[in-house]
Amino acid sequence: MRRAALLLAAPLLTAQAKPVLVPDVSQRNIEIAYSFTGAELLLFGAILYPGGRLPRGAAPTDVVIVVKGPTQSIVIREKEKVAGIWVNAGKLRYRSAPSFYAVASSRPLDRLVDARTRAIYELGLDGLQLSPASAAPAPVQDRFTRGLVEQRTRTGLFYEAPGAVEITDGVLYRARVAIPARVPVGRFTAETFLIRDGRVLAAAVRDIDIRKSGLERFVAQAADRHSILYGLSAVALSVLLGWAAGRWAARG
């Protein structure tokens, strides 16, 4: 009877023996005004082990933090030089691609987990699942995907930061992630993964809201909620400014 009870309790005891992540972020809300030049997020937290410390003899753990922006549909166009002129030669649409993607890790990702695990958890730029909307051949999809990643890496919207996560005493961790000035607005997620021996032991998520403020927020809301009126107002304002500039030049 006692043996049967121990067998039934074994899965519960094993689950309780797993470490738990307690993450947090320095800013849950980021407001973009006309003077916004970017921001720096501090992501930090603690690893709670059964007994309060890393078990004796256990292999050290690593931490990976992934910050993602809201997904969006995007079309990537490929240009080709014809008779000395650059023209659009092809395009590929993605149903869902992250508008922002940054990954910080305590060590290079290829030293932490294999390619299959990176793809499952989307750890690293080579593990992103971008969902092409067409049935193009695999080599074509790979070419356009590389183009998308390179394009967003150049603008600072995609990047990897190996070694950016600092772990203190095997319990406390921290990392800084740069948010560029041209970041899109919306709900972002900061996912933290605890890794040991090539396996993900624990994961936790925190949300971050990035939104416009002040005049930028008013203009964005007007364009979204009253698109026709916004368009007519923009045209009228352009005509008025043009007329005023003409009158000013005539007087001068």
Side-chain angles (χ1 to χ4, degrees), residues 97-174:
S99 53
F100 176 82
Y101 179 91
V103 54
S105 55
S106 52
R107 289 190 293 158
L109 291 170
D110 58 1
R111 294 172 56 185
L112 300 182
V113 289
D114 57 23
R116 180 173 177 273
T117 304
R118 292 199 300 273
I120 292 173
Y121 293 97
E122 292 191 282
L123 302 178
L125 296 175
D126 62 347
L128 283 175
Q129 307 300 310
L130 296 175
S131 306
S134 67
V140 175
Q141 293 185 16
D142 292 341
R143 188 173 73 249
F144 275 91
T145 297
R146 287 195 301 271
L148 170 61
V149 172
E150 290 173 4
Q151 181 190 72
R152 298 209 162 182
T153 299
R154 285 196 302 269
T155 58
L157 293 174
F158 281 10
Y159 72 91
E160 294 182 352
V165 177
E166 301 175 10
I167 302 177
T168 304
D169 297 330
V171 176
L172 302 176
Y173 66 87
R174 56 182 287 162

Coordinates of all heavy atoms in Angstrom, one line a residue, residues 97-174:
A97 N 4.7 37.7 -39.1 CA 6.1 37.8 -38.8 C 6.2 38.8 -37.7 O 5.4 39.8 -37.6 CB 6.9 38.4 -40.0
P98 N 7.0 38.6 -36.7 CA 7.1 39.5 -35.6 C 7.6 40.9 -36.0 O 8.6 41.0 -36.8 CB 8.1 38.9 -34.6 CG 8.9 37.9 -35.5 CD 8.0 37.5 -36.5
S99 N 7.0 42.0 -35.6 CA 7.4 43.3 -36.0 C 8.7 43.7 -35.3 O 9.4 44.6 -35.7 CB 6.3 44.3 -35.6 OG 6.0 44.2 -34.3
F100 N 9.0 43.0 -34.2 CA 10.3 43.2 -33.4 C 10.7 41.9 -32.8 O 9.8 41.1 -32.3 CB 10.1 44.3 -32.3 CG 11.3 44.5 -31.5 CD1 12.4 45.3 -31.9 CD2 11.5 43.9 -30.3 CE1 13.5 45.5 -31.2 CE2 12.6 44.1 -29.5 CZ 13.6 44.9 -29.9
Y101 N 12.0 41.6 -32.8 CA 12.5 40.3 -32.2 C 13.9 40.5 -31.7 O 14.8 40.9 -32.5 CB 12.5 39.2 -33.3 CG 13.0 37.9 -32.7 CD1 12.1 37.0 -32.1 CD2 14.3 37.6 -32.8 CE1 12.5 35.8 -31.6 CE2 14.8 36.4 -32.2 CZ 13.9 35.5 -31.7 OH 14.4 34.3 -31.1
A102 N 14.1 40.3 -30.4 CA 15.4 40.4 -29.8 C 15.6 39.3 -28.9 O 14.6 38.9 -28.1 CB 15.6 41.8 -29.1
V103 N 16.7 38.7 -28.9 CA 17.0 37.5 -28.0 C 18.3 37.8 -27.3 O 19.4 38.0 -28.0 CB 17.0 36.2 -28.8 CG1 17.9 36.2 -30.0 CG2 17.4 35.0 -27.9
A104 N 18.3 37.7 -26.0 CA 19.5 37.8 -25.2 C 19.7 36.5 -24.5 O 18.7 35.9 -24.0 CB 19.4 39.0 -24.2
S105 N 20.9 36.1 -24.4 CA 21.2 34.8 -23.8 C 22.5 34.8 -22.9 O 23.4 35.7 -23.2 CB 21.3 33.7 -24.8 OG 22.3 34.0 -25.8
S106 N 22.6 33.9 -22.0 CA 23.8 33.9 -21.2 C 25.0 33.3 -21.9 O 26.2 33.5 -21.6 CB 23.5 33.0 -19.9 OG 23.0 31.8 -20.2
R107 N 24.7 32.5 -23.0 CA 25.8 31.9 -23.8 C 25.2 31.8 -25.2 O 24.0 31.9 -25.4 CB 26.2 30.5 -23.4 CG 27.0 30.5 -22.1 CD 27.6 29.1 -21.8 NE 26.6 28.1 -21.6 CZ 26.8 26.8 -21.7 NH1 28.0 26.4 -22.2 NH2 25.9 25.9 -21.4
P108 N 26.1 31.7 -26.3 CA 25.6 31.5 -27.6 C 24.5 30.4 -27.7 O 24.7 29.3 -27.1 CB 26.8 31.2 -28.4 CG 27.9 31.8 -27.7 CD 27.6 31.7 -26.2
L109 N 23.5 30.6 -28.4 CA 22.3 29.7 -28.5 C 22.7 28.3 -29.0 O 22.2 27.3 -28.5 CB 21.2 30.3 -29.3 CG 20.5 31.5 -28.8 CD1 19.6 32.1 -29.8 CD2 19.7 31.1 -27.5
D110 N 23.6 28.2 -30.0 CA 24.0 26.9 -30.5 C 24.8 26.1 -29.5 O 25.0 24.9 -29.7 CB 24.7 27.1 -31.8 CG 26.0 27.9 -31.7 OD1 26.3 28.4 -30.5 OD2 26.7 28.1 -32.7
R111 N 25.2 26.7 -28.4 CA 25.8 25.9 -27.3 C 24.9 25.5 -26.2 O 25.3 24.8 -25.3 CB 27.0 26.8 -26.8 CG 28.1 27.0 -27.8 CD 29.1 28.0 -27.2 NE 29.7 27.6 -25.9 CZ 30.5 28.3 -25.2 NH1 30.9 29.5 -25.6 NH2 31.0 27.8 -24.1
L112 N 23.6 26.0 -26.3 CA 22.7 25.7 -25.3 C 21.7 24.7 -25.7 O 21.4 23.8 -24.9 CB 21.9 27.0 -24.9 CG 22.7 28.2 -24.4 CD1 21.8 29.4 -24.0 CD2 23.5 27.8 -23.2
V113 N 21.1 24.8 -26.9 CA 20.1 23.8 -27.4 C 20.4 23.5 -28.8 O 21.0 24.2 -29.5 CB 18.7 24.4 -27.2 CG1 18.3 24.5 -25.7 CG2 18.6 25.8 -27.8
D114 N 19.8 22.4 -29.3 CA 20.0 22.0 -30.7 C 19.0 22.7 -31.6 O 18.1 23.5 -31.1 CB 19.8 20.5 -30.8 CG 18.4 20.0 -30.3 OD1 17.5 20.8 -30.3 OD2 18.3 18.8 -30.0
A115 N 19.1 22.5 -32.9 CA 18.3 23.3 -33.9 C 16.9 23.0 -33.7 O 16.0 23.9 -33.9 CB 18.8 22.9 -35.3
R116 N 16.5 21.7 -33.4 CA 15.1 21.4 -33.2 C 14.5 22.1 -32.1 O 13.4 22.7 -32.2 CB 15.0 19.9 -33.0 CG 13.5 19.4 -32.8 CD 13.5 17.9 -32.8 NE 12.1 17.4 -32.5 CZ 11.6 17.3 -31.3 NH1 12.3 17.5 -30.2 NH2 10.3 16.8 -31.2
T117 N 15.1 22.2 -30.9 CA 14.6 22.9 -29.8 C 14.5 24.4 -30.1 O 13.6 25.1 -29.7 CB 15.5 22.7 -28.5 OG1 15.6 21.3 -28.3 CG2 14.9 23.4 -27.3
R118 N 15.5 25.0 -30.8 CA 15.5 26.4 -31.2 C 14.3 26.7 -32.0 O 13.6 27.7 -31.9 CB 16.8 26.8 -31.9 CG 18.0 26.8 -31.0 CD 19.1 27.6 -31.6 NE 19.5 27.2 -32.9 CZ 20.5 26.2 -33.1 NH1 21.0 25.6 -32.1 NH2 20.8 25.9 -34.3
A119 N 13.9 25.7 -32.9 CA 12.8 25.9 -33.8 C 11.4 25.8 -33.0 O 10.5 26.6 -33.2 CB 12.8 24.9 -34.9
I120 N 11.4 24.9 -32.0 CA 10.2 24.7 -31.2 C 9.8 26.0 -30.4 O 8.7 26.5 -30.4 CB 10.3 23.5 -30.3 CG1 10.3 22.2 -31.1 CG2 9.2 23.5 -29.3 CD1 10.6 21.0 -30.3
Y121 N 10.9 26.5 -29.8 CA 10.7 27.7 -28.9 C 11.0 29.0 -29.6 O 10.9 30.1 -29.0 CB 11.5 27.6 -27.7 CG 11.1 26.4 -26.8 CD1 11.7 25.2 -26.8 CD2 10.0 26.6 -25.9 CE1 11.3 24.1 -26.0 CE2 9.6 25.5 -25.0 CZ 10.3 24.3 -25.1 OH 9.9 23.3 -24.3
E122 N 11.3 29.0 -30.9 CA 11.7 30.2 -31.6 C 12.8 30.9 -30.9 O 12.7 32.1 -30.7 CB 10.5 31.1 -31.9 CG 9.5 30.4 -32.9 CD 8.5 31.4 -33.3 OE1 7.5 31.7 -32.5 OE2 8.6 31.9 -34.5
L123 N 13.9 30.2 -30.6 CA 15.1 30.8 -30.0 C 16.1 31.2 -31.0 O 16.7 30.3 -31.6 CB 15.7 29.8 -28.9 CG 14.7 29.4 -27.8 CD1 15.4 28.4 -26.9 CD2 14.2 30.5 -27.0
G124 N 16.3 32.4 -31.3 CA 17.3 32.8 -32.3 C 16.6 33.1 -33.7 O 15.6 32.6 -34.0
L125 N 17.3 33.9 -34.5 CA 16.8 34.3 -35.8 C 16.7 33.1 -36.7 O 15.7 33.1 -37.5 CB 17.7 35.3 -36.4 CG 17.8 36.7 -35.7 CD1 18.9 37.6 -36.3 CD2 16.5 37.3 -35.6
D126 N 17.5 32.1 -36.5 CA 17.4 30.9 -37.4 C 16.3 30.0 -37.0 O 15.9 29.0 -37.6 CB 18.7 30.1 -37.5 CG 19.1 29.6 -36.1 OD1 18.6 30.0 -35.1 OD2 20.1 28.7 -36.1
G127 N 15.6 30.3 -35.8 CA 14.5 29.4 -35.3 C 13.2 30.1 -35.5 O 12.2 29.5 -35.1
L128 N 13.1 31.3 -36.1 CA 11.8 32.0 -36.3 C 10.9 31.2 -37.3 O 11.4 30.7 -38.3 CB 12.1 33.4 -36.9 CG 12.5 34.4 -35.8 CD1 12.8 35.7 -36.6 CD2 11.5 34.6 -34.8
Q129 N 9.6 31.1 -36.9 CA 8.6 30.4 -37.8 C 7.8 31.6 -38.4 O 6.9 32.1 -37.8 CB 7.8 29.5 -37.0 CG 8.5 28.5 -36.2 CD 9.4 27.6 -37.0 OE1 9.0 27.0 -38.0 NE2 10.7 27.5 -36.7
L130 N 8.1 31.9 -39.7 CA 7.5 33.1 -40.3 C 6.3 32.8 -41.2 O 5.7 33.8 -41.6 CB 8.6 33.8 -41.1 CG 9.8 34.3 -40.3 CD1 10.9 34.8 -41.2 CD2 9.3 35.3 -39.3
S131 N 5.9 31.6 -41.4 CA 4.6 31.3 -42.1 C 4.4 32.0 -43.5 O 3.6 32.9 -43.6 CB 3.4 31.6 -41.2 OG 3.5 31.0 -40.0
P132 N 5.2 31.6 -44.5 CA 4.9 32.2 -45.9 C 3.5 31.8 -46.3 O 3.0 30.8 -46.1 CB 6.0 31.5 -46.7 CG 7.0 31.0 -45.8 CD 6.3 30.7 -44.5
A133 N 2.9 32.8 -47.0 CA 1.5 32.6 -47.5 C 1.4 31.9 -48.8 O 0.3 31.6 -49.3 CB 0.8 34.0 -47.6
S134 N 2.5 31.6 -49.5 CA 2.5 31.0 -50.8 C 3.2 29.7 -50.8 O 3.9 29.4 -49.8 CB 3.1 31.9 -51.9 OG 4.5 32.0 -51.6
A135 N 2.9 28.9 -51.8 CA 3.5 27.5 -51.9 C 4.8 27.6 -52.7 O 5.0 26.7 -53.6 CB 2.5 26.5 -52.4
A136 N 5.6 28.6 -52.5 CA 6.9 28.7 -53.3 C 7.8 27.6 -52.9 O 7.8 27.1 -51.7 CB 7.5 30.1 -53.0
P137 N 8.7 27.2 -53.8 CA 9.7 26.2 -53.4 C 10.5 26.6 -52.2 O 10.8 27.7 -51.9 CB 10.6 26.1 -54.7 CG 9.7 26.6 -55.8 CD 8.8 27.7 -55.2
A138 N 11.0 25.6 -51.5 CA 11.8 25.8 -50.3 C 13.0 26.7 -50.5 O 13.2 27.6 -49.7 CB 12.2 24.5 -49.6
P139 N 13.8 26.6 -51.6 CA 14.9 27.5 -51.7 C 14.5 28.9 -51.9 O 15.2 29.8 -51.4 CB 15.6 26.9 -53.0 CG 15.2 25.5 -53.1 CD 13.8 25.5 -52.6
V140 N 13.3 29.1 -52.6 CA 12.8 30.5 -52.7 C 12.4 31.1 -51.4 O 12.7 32.2 -51.1 CB 11.6 30.5 -53.7 CG1 11.0 31.9 -53.8 CG2 12.1 30.1 -55.1
Q141 N 11.7 30.3 -50.6 CA 11.3 30.7 -49.3 C 12.5 31.1 -48.4 O 12.5 32.1 -47.7 CB 10.4 29.7 -48.6 CG 9.1 29.4 -49.3 CD 8.2 28.5 -48.5 OE1 8.5 28.2 -47.3 NE2 7.2 28.0 -49.1
D142 N 13.5 30.2 -48.5 CA 14.7 30.5 -47.7 C 15.4 31.8 -48.1 O 15.8 32.6 -47.2 CB 15.7 29.3 -47.8 CG 15.2 28.0 -47.2 OD1 14.3 28.1 -46.3 OD2 15.7 27.0 -47.5
R143 N 15.4 32.1 -49.4 CA 16.0 33.3 -49.9 C 15.3 34.5 -49.4 O 15.9 35.5 -48.9 CB 16.1 33.3 -51.4 CG 16.9 34.4 -52.0 CD 17.1 34.3 -53.5 NE 15.9 34.6 -54.2 CZ 15.2 33.7 -54.9 NH1 15.6 32.4 -54.9 NH2 14.1 34.0 -55.6
F144 N 14.0 34.5 -49.5 CA 13.2 35.6 -49.0 C 13.2 35.8 -47.5 O 13.3 36.9 -47.0 CB 11.7 35.5 -49.5 CG 11.5 36.0 -50.9 CD1 11.6 35.1 -52.0 CD2 11.2 37.3 -51.2 CE1 11.4 35.6 -53.3 CE2 11.0 37.8 -52.4 CZ 11.1 36.9 -53.5
T145 N 13.3 34.7 -46.8 CA 13.4 34.7 -45.3 C 14.7 35.4 -44.9 O 14.7 36.2 -44.0 CB 13.2 33.3 -44.7 OG1 11.9 32.8 -45.0 CG2 13.4 33.4 -43.2
R146 N 15.8 35.0 -45.6 CA 17.1 35.6 -45.3 C 17.0 37.1 -45.6 O 17.6 37.9 -44.8 CB 18.2 35.0 -46.1 CG 18.6 33.6 -45.6 CD 19.9 33.1 -46.2 NE 19.8 33.1 -47.7 CZ 19.4 32.1 -48.4 NH1 19.1 30.9 -47.8 NH2 19.4 32.1 -49.7
G147 N 16.3 37.5 -46.7 CA 16.2 38.9 -47.0 C 15.4 39.7 -45.9 O 15.8 40.8 -45.6
L148 N 14.3 39.1 -45.4 CA 13.5 39.7 -44.4 C 14.3 39.9 -43.1 O 14.4 41.0 -42.5 CB 12.3 38.9 -44.1 CG 11.4 39.3 -42.9 CD1 10.9 40.7 -43.0 CD2 10.3 38.3 -42.7
V149 N 15.1 38.8 -42.7 CA 15.9 38.9 -41.5 C 17.0 40.0 -41.6 O 17.2 40.8 -40.7 CB 16.4 37.5 -41.1 CG1 17.4 37.6 -40.0 CG2 15.3 36.6 -40.8
E150 N 17.6 40.0 -42.8 CA 18.7 40.9 -43.0 C 18.2 42.4 -43.0 O 18.8 43.3 -42.4 CB 19.4 40.6 -44.3 CG 20.3 39.3 -44.3 CD 20.8 39.0 -45.7 OE1 20.6 39.8 -46.6 OE2 21.4 37.9 -45.8
Q151 N 17.0 42.6 -43.6 CA 16.4 43.9 -43.7 C 16.1 44.4 -42.3 O 16.4 45.6 -42.0 CB 15.2 43.9 -44.6 CG 14.5 45.2 -44.7 CD 13.1 45.1 -45.4 OE1 12.2 44.6 -44.8 NE2 13.0 45.5 -46.6
R152 N 15.5 43.6 -41.5 CA 15.1 44.0 -40.1 C 16.3 44.1 -39.2 O 16.3 44.9 -38.2 CB 14.0 43.2 -39.6 CG 12.7 43.2 -40.5 CD 11.5 43.0 -39.7 NE 10.3 43.4 -40.5 CZ 9.1 43.3 -40.1 NH1 8.8 42.8 -38.9 NH2 8.1 43.8 -40.8
T153 N 17.3 43.3 -39.5 CA 18.5 43.4 -38.6 C 19.2 44.7 -38.9 O 19.7 45.3 -37.9 CB 19.5 42.2 -39.0 OG1 18.8 41.0 -38.7 CG2 20.7 42.3 -38.1
R154 N 19.3 45.2 -40.1 CA 19.9 46.5 -40.4 C 19.2 47.6 -39.7 O 19.8 48.6 -39.4 CB 19.9 46.7 -42.0 CG 20.9 45.9 -42.7 CD 21.1 46.4 -44.1 NE 19.9 46.5 -44.9 CZ 19.4 45.5 -45.7 NH1 20.1 44.4 -45.8 NH2 18.3 45.6 -46.3
T155 N 17.9 47.5 -39.6 CA 17.1 48.6 -38.9 C 17.1 48.5 -37.4 O 16.4 49.3 -36.8 CB 15.7 48.7 -39.5 OG1 15.0 47.5 -39.3 CG2 15.7 49.0 -41.0
G156 N 17.6 47.4 -36.9 CA 17.6 47.3 -35.4 C 16.4 46.6 -34.9 O 16.2 46.5 -33.7
L157 N 15.5 46.2 -35.8 CA 14.2 45.5 -35.3 C 14.4 44.0 -35.0 O 13.6 43.5 -34.3 CB 13.1 45.7 -36.4 CG 12.7 47.2 -36.6 CD1 11.7 47.2 -37.7 CD2 12.0 47.7 -35.3
F158 N 15.5 43.4 -35.5 CA 15.8 42.0 -35.2 C 17.3 42.0 -34.8 O 18.1 42.6 -35.4 CB 15.7 41.1 -36.5 CG 14.3 40.7 -36.8 CD1 13.2 41.3 -36.3 CD2 14.1 39.7 -37.8 CE1 11.9 40.9 -36.6 CE2 12.9 39.3 -38.2 CZ 11.8 39.9 -37.6
Y159 N 17.5 41.4 -33.6 CA 18.9 41.2 -33.3 C 19.1 40.1 -32.2 O 18.2 39.8 -31.5 CB 19.6 42.5 -32.9 CG 19.2 43.0 -31.5 CD1 19.9 42.7 -30.4 CD2 18.1 43.9 -31.4 CE1 19.5 43.2 -29.1 CE2 17.8 44.5 -30.2 CZ 18.5 44.1 -29.1 OH 18.1 44.6 -27.8
E160 N 20.3 39.6 -32.1 CA 20.7 38.6 -31.1 C 21.8 39.2 -30.3 O 22.6 39.9 -30.8 CB 21.2 37.3 -31.7 CG 20.1 36.5 -32.5 CD 20.6 35.2 -33.1 OE1 21.9 35.0 -33.0 OE2 19.8 34.4 -33.6
A161 N 21.8 38.9 -29.0 CA 22.8 39.4 -28.0 C 23.3 38.3 -27.2 O 22.9 38.1 -26.0 CB 22.2 40.5 -27.2
P162 N 24.2 37.4 -27.7 CA 24.7 36.3 -26.9 C 25.6 36.8 -25.8 O 26.4 37.8 -26.0 CB 25.5 35.5 -27.9 CG 25.8 36.4 -29.0 CD 24.7 37.4 -29.1
G163 N 25.5 36.3 -24.6 CA 26.3 36.8 -23.5 C 25.7 38.0 -22.8 O 26.3 38.5 -21.8
A164 N 24.6 38.5 -23.2 CA 24.0 39.7 -22.6 C 23.3 39.4 -21.3 O 23.0 40.3 -20.5 CB 23.0 40.3 -23.6
V165 N 23.0 38.1 -21.0 CA 22.3 37.8 -19.8 C 23.4 37.5 -18.7 O 24.2 36.6 -18.9 CB 21.3 36.6 -19.9 CG1 20.7 36.2 -18.6 CG2 20.3 36.9 -20.9
E166 N 23.3 38.2 -17.6 CA 24.2 37.9 -16.5 C 23.5 37.2 -15.4 O 22.4 37.5 -15.0 CB 24.7 39.3 -15.9 CG 25.5 40.2 -16.9 CD 25.8 41.5 -16.3 OE1 25.7 41.7 -15.1 OE2 26.2 42.4 -17.1
I167 N 24.1 36.1 -14.9 CA 23.6 35.3 -13.9 C 24.5 35.4 -12.6 O 25.7 35.1 -12.7 CB 23.4 33.8 -14.3 CG1 22.5 33.7 -15.6 CG2 22.8 33.0 -13.2 CD1 22.4 32.3 -16.1
T168 N 23.9 35.7 -11.5 CA 24.6 35.9 -10.3 C 24.3 34.8 -9.3 O 23.1 34.6 -9.0 CB 24.3 37.2 -9.6 OG1 24.5 38.3 -10.6 CG2 25.1 37.5 -8.4
D169 N 25.3 34.1 -8.9 CA 25.2 33.0 -7.9 C 24.2 31.9 -8.3 O 23.6 31.2 -7.5 CB 24.7 33.5 -6.5 CG 25.7 34.5 -5.9 OD1 26.9 34.3 -6.2 OD2 25.3 35.4 -5.2
G170 N 24.0 31.8 -9.6 CA 23.1 30.8 -10.2 C 21.6 31.0 -9.9 O 20.8 30.2 -10.2
V171 N 21.3 32.2 -9.3 CA 19.9 32.5 -8.9 C 19.3 33.7 -9.5 O 18.2 33.7 -10.0 CB 19.9 32.6 -7.3 CG1 18.5 32.9 -6.9 CG2 20.3 31.3 -6.7
L172 N 20.1 34.8 -9.5 CA 19.6 36.1 -10.0 C 20.1 36.3 -11.4 O 21.3 36.0 -11.7 CB 20.0 37.2 -9.1 CG 19.6 37.2 -7.7 CD1 20.2 38.3 -6.9 CD2 18.1 37.1 -7.5
Y173 N 19.3 36.9 -12.3 CA 19.7 37.1 -13.7 C 19.2 38.5 -14.1 O 18.2 39.0 -13.6 CB 19.2 36.1 -14.6 CG 17.7 36.0 -14.8 CD1 17.1 36.9 -15.8 CD2 16.9 35.2 -14.0 CE1 15.7 36.9 -15.9 CE2 15.5 35.2 -14.2 CZ 15.0 36.0 -15.1 OH 13.6 36.1 -15.3
R174 N 19.9 39.1 -15.1 CA 19.5 40.4 -15.6 C 20.1 40.5 -17.0 O 21.1 39.9 -17.4 CB 20.0 41.5 -14.7 CG 21.5 41.5 -14.5 CD 21.9 42.6 -13.6 NE 21.9 43.9 -14.3 CZ 21.8 45.1 -13.6 NH1 21.9 45.1 -12.3 NH2 21.8 46.2 -14.3

